[in-house]
Amino acid sequence: MASKVASPGSGRIATNHHTMESPPQRKEIYTYEAPWTVFSLAWSNRIEQNSQFRLAIGSYIEQYNNTVQILKTKYQSQPNSEQPTMQIYSACEIEHPYPCTKILWCPEGKAAASGGSGGANNLGGRDLLATTGDYLRLWSVSDDGKGEGTLNHKREALLINNNRNSEYCSPLTSFDWNEYDPSMIVTSSIDTTCTIWDINTQIVKTQVIAHDKEVFDLAFSRGTDVFASVGADGSVRLFDLRSLEHSTIIYETKHLEPLLRLEWNKQDPNYLATFKVDSQSTIILDIRQPCTPVTVLGGHAGCVNAVAWAPHSSCHICTAADDSQALIWDLTQMSKRPVEDPILAYNAEGEVNNLQWSSSQPDWVSIAFSDKLQILRV
């Protein structure tokens, strides 16, 4: 699938709601058009020598056969232009049963990098990624040796856990990969459970009944011991792996409306972000002051679909919604006064289904809408 480089007319960036055109000497927005609706997406945590970016995107097709594409970028000279332009292309395709509910690349392992313990199996330079859907799957991708920037893929593991005596599995709604111990992944399911996996041994370390109804999302805090989850029962619950006999409910929606997504601020782990199903607002929670949001972000005229904290800043967050907007907010003063307006707004060409903020290259955000992936410099 050929990539498309966005022109200034294919999206607008506005600061304080005043349109700001991209500088002519630098392309700020790059677009890739997939052959299907793009839903799940993730940035690789590795920085490649010959490619500025590596991402994974997953299809949303309402049938068994779906696809994961591994995207890379390259610079190409353009006629009548002194500056080469960056293009996004598919370096590898993976057949995937059912749509991915989430994709993540293996974190580099902050504990291992600082001399601590933990870490995924040494895959000889291959990049490992995981997907959830009917099961948890692990994949690796590596250079195919053709010298064309394309990749080979291999399924490393298929992790199945039926917590009940049944031939059927309960679909997995989400998962998170621990940044400090990359051997640990926790998954959430519609069967009300969260499951902690050791991917080195490919066995379940423990499983907890996390909610009264379906679990929709979860996230690790900074470190290896604490994660939080949200679900159809309208609660945010904290779990400590050192003491799983009980959890702490830090927030419940007023009428127990389901909470769809959860993002933990890795720069300041006192803060969480979540939002309700079919809601136009994003809820910011301080775990030191449970039960009441520290602030609520409006600004959208459609239902919020995704939220991402800035990986390099404790007080910036991006939200995306059905109103075709991605908004970046400055939360520096949220404890003193309401946060009413975003500091930057991007208008996409369709309802934004998902967004991710690159942790390895934090000047860049990716969004998914319709059959397109866009990379935006912020």
Side-chain angles (χ1 to χ4, degrees):
M1 174 61 63
S3 62
K4 294 184 178 180
V5 179
S7 65
S10 58
R12 291 186 307 154
I13 297 177
T15 304
N16 293 332
H17 301 293
H18 296 293
T19 300
M20 178 182 67
E21 295 296 341
S22 301
Q25 71 273 18
R26 175 186 288 175
K27 296 290 185 182
E28 297 288 335
I29 305 165
Y30 302 94
T31 304
Y32 174 79
E33 186 175 335
W36 23 255
T37 298
V38 180
F39 175 66
S40 50
L41 63 106
W43 292 87
S44 174
N45 296 300
R46 296 188 179 188
I47 298 178
E48 299 208 39
Q49 294 180 351
N50 301 318
S51 176
Q52 189 170 4
F53 303 118
R54 179 188 288 189
L55 303 96
I57 59 172
S59 64
Y60 184 83
I61 305 170
E62 293 185 12
Q63 60 188 36
Y64 180 79
N65 296 316
N66 275 259
T67 303
V68 172
Q69 284 188 344
I70 310 302
L71 306 182
K72 294 175 65 176
T73 58
K74 60 185 175 182
Y75 284 95
Q76 287 191 336
S77 299
Q78 297 294 321
N80 306 319
S81 175
E82 296 181 0
Q83 297 292 331
T85 57
M86 188 174 73
Q87 292 193 325
I88 309 169
Y89 67 97
S90 175
C92 176
E93 281 200 2
I94 301 171
E95 294 180 358
H96 195 281
Y98 304 106
C100 296
T101 53
K102 192 170 184 178
I103 303 174
L104 282 177
W105 295 86
C106 181
E108 292 300 300
K110 293 183 178 180
S114 61
S117 61
N121 282 329
N122 185 348
L123 294 172
R126 289 175 286 169
D127 207 357
L128 190 68
L129 69 152
T131 59
T132 45
D134 51 349
Y135 305 121
L136 171 64
R137 291 175 171 85
L138 301 177
W139 315 82
S140 65
V141 296
S142 57
D143 193 294
D144 61 9
K146 296 180 180 178
E148 299 174 354
T150 47
L151 300 167
N152 286 326
H153 74 273
K154 177 185 177 183
R155 196 184 78 187
E156 297 288 342
L158 173 64
L159 305 183
I160 303 173
N161 178 59
N162 291 329
N163 69 312
R164 300 190 178 114
N165 296 323
S166 171
E167 61 181 303
Y168 303 105
C169 64
S170 296
L172 303 177
T173 53
S174 186
F175 74 102
D176 199 15
W177 206 325
N178 191 281
E179 292 183 0
Y180 290 80
D181 180 4
S183 69
M184 184 163 53
I185 284 177
V186 58
T187 59
S188 59
S189 173
I190 65 169
D191 68 1
T192 76
T193 65
C194 292
T195 304
I196 295 90
W197 294 89
D198 183 330
I199 64 170
N200 286 347
T201 60
Q202 300 182 18
I203 62 172
V204 173
K205 295 178 69 174
T206 188
Q207 186 178 67
V208 295
I209 297 175
H211 287 257
D212 299 329
K213 296 181 179 179
E214 300 98 319
V215 189
F216 288 148
D217 200 12
L218 47 73
F220 277 109
S221 178
R222 193 167 63 191
T224 59
D225 298 316
V226 178
F227 71 92
S229 61
V230 295
D233 60 6
S235 67
V236 180
R237 305 195 183 202
L238 260 58
F239 296 86
D240 191 320
L241 296 178
R242 297 162 295 187
S243 177
L244 285 173
E245 292 79 14
H246 45 76
S247 61
T248 302
I249 298 176
I250 63 165
Y251 177 73
E252 284 186 317
T253 53
K254 185 175 181 181
H255 301 291
L256 303 182
E257 304 99 321
L259 291 166
L260 190 59
R261 292 287 176 262
L262 175 74
E263 288 289 328
W264 210 310
N265 185 336
K266 296 299 175 66
Q267 294 298 315
D268 186 347
N270 290 314
Y271 295 103
L272 296 167
T274 185
F275 55 86
K276 295 183 289 188
V277 174
D278 298 330
S279 170
Q280 298 180 8
S281 302
T282 302
I283 300 165
I284 307 298
L285 301 172
D286 185 340
I287 63 173
R288 299 165 299 184
Q289 302 172 9
C291 303
T292 303
V294 63
T295 193
V296 176
L297 306 176
H300 285 289
C303 297
V304 177
N305 293 320
V307 59
W309 290 96
H312 60 303
S313 169
S314 63
C315 56
H316 290 89
I317 193 170
C318 186
T319 60
D322 281 348
D323 61 359
S324 305
Q325 285 199 317
L327 306 178
I328 292 181
W329 305 81
D330 183 347
L331 306 183
T332 307
Q333 302 296 321
M334 66 178 174
S335 62
K336 300 178 180 178
R337 59 177 181 268
V339 182
E340 296 180 347
D341 295 308
I343 59 170
L344 188 145
Y346 175 73
N347 296 305
E349 296 176 318
E351 298 177 352
V352 183
N353 299 321
N354 208 339
L355 78 92
Q356 293 288 322
W357 203 320
S358 174
S359 61
S360 60
Q361 302 183 76
D363 289 343
W364 295 89
V365 170
S366 59
I367 62 171
F369 59 92
S370 185
D371 59 351
K372 295 178 178 62
L373 167 88
Q374 279 192 335
I375 300 174
L376 319 171
R377 182 189 289 275
V378 296

